[in-house]
Amino acid sequence: MPALLYYITDRRQFRGDAKEQERRLLAKIGECAAAGVDYIQLREKDLHARALEDLAYQAMAALRNSKTRLLINSRIDVALAAGAHGIHLPAQDLLASEARAIFSRAGVAKPIIGVSAHAEEEMAYAEAHGADLAVFAPVFEKDGNENPSGLRQLRQICGRRHAASQMPVFALGGVTLQNAKQCLEAGAAGIAGIRLLQENEAQTIVDALRAT
């Protein structure tokens, strides 16, 4: 099965003033959607609710006519207001089941609930509470070198999950085109990244990883 791709945004890594960074981010979101990236997590944690909501509206517009799904980091209120496809919950945040209940009360029946996990226990707990996907980190260090325990933990998590499980696990943290194959061979369903997609041509990355 082809690798799934998950882009995590960080507009402050782009050059230019605030307006130019936002312009570049929205262009990258559109580029990722056109390239077939499966999920985009809008993770602009420094923005207050109104500014984040405005950015989320524009991000949704950039995804129009694509199959890419937009998840808002942590802010269910913003996700609901902007009509995003779901939410990504950091570790130690709400339970996936609690987030789903909030969406349900707002009339959204099937939001996508993603979670961050850093250990096998967190992964199992998130899945038990109905998370749709999980991002495991860190697998590698920022320079691409192996984290002494990261790849081993990823392999254990993916290897011990029962066959009936439907929750895909994404590998995050220092993943490059050179080491991504190790993550997929360890059982990850896909690759998540900030710089991997933000600093490179999205189509090149998508094609390379799906050919791995």
Side-chain angles (χ1 to χ4, degrees):
M1 183 175 179
L4 299 171
L5 282 305
Y6 189 109
Y7 167 45
I8 302 169
T9 75
D10 185 355
R11 74 191 193 290
R12 292 172 298 178
Q13 290 189 17
F14 289 111
R15 294 180 180 178
D17 60 17
K19 186 174 181 179
E20 176 63 10
Q21 288 175 334
E22 181 175 303
R23 185 195 70 77
R24 287 174 177 264
L25 174 62
L26 291 168
K28 176 58 71 171
I29 288 172
E31 178 191 332
C32 285
V37 169
D38 300 281
Y39 301 97
I40 296 177
Q41 178 190 339
L42 194 64
R43 189 177 179 268
E44 306 300 325
K45 297 189 293 183
D46 63 305
L47 293 179
H48 57 74
R50 179 59 62 84
L52 182 61
E53 183 180 326
D54 288 344
L55 184 60
Y57 271 117
Q58 294 180 76
M60 285 297 292
L63 299 184
R64 193 172 293 127
N65 300 321
S66 79
K67 295 181 179 180
T68 303
R69 295 294 176 255
L70 182 72
L71 309 182
I72 308 299
N73 186 70
S74 190
R75 297 296 300 260
I76 298 177
D77 55 342
V78 172
L80 288 168
H85 301 99
I87 190 82
H88 184 93
L89 299 171
Q92 311 306 319
D93 206 310
L94 285 175
L95 295 174
S97 55
E98 294 172 338
R100 197 173 298 283
I102 295 170
F103 275 102
S104 180
R105 288 196 294 270
V108 179
K110 294 183 178 181
I112 299 169
I113 310 293
V115 298
S116 291
H118 309 291
E120 186 174 356
E121 295 76 15
E122 292 178 357
M123 192 76 68
Y125 197 61
E127 187 165 20
H129 281 271
D132 294 301
L133 60 89
V135 175
F136 172 77
V139 180
F140 301 102
E141 303 295 347
K142 288 184 178 180
D143 59 5
N145 292 323
E146 185 174 341
N147 177 339
S149 63
L151 195 61
R152 183 180 69 251
Q153 282 187 289
L154 177 66
R155 188 177 293 109
Q156 290 174 342
I157 287 168
C158 295
R160 291 178 183 175
R161 294 166 68 243
H162 55 78
S165 172
Q166 298 298 309
M167 186 179 76
V169 175
F170 291 80
L172 172 67
V175 183
T176 66
L177 286 180
Q178 289 69 42
N179 61 30
K181 186 176 181 180
Q182 296 178 65
C183 300
L184 300 175
E185 289 176 342
I191 302 299
I194 300 175
R195 288 181 298 275
L196 179 64
L197 284 158
Q198 193 156 283
E199 296 179 0
N200 299 286
E201 184 182 54
Q203 192 68 63
T204 299
I205 298 300
V206 170
D207 289 347
L209 290 177
R210 289 196 170 142
T212 300

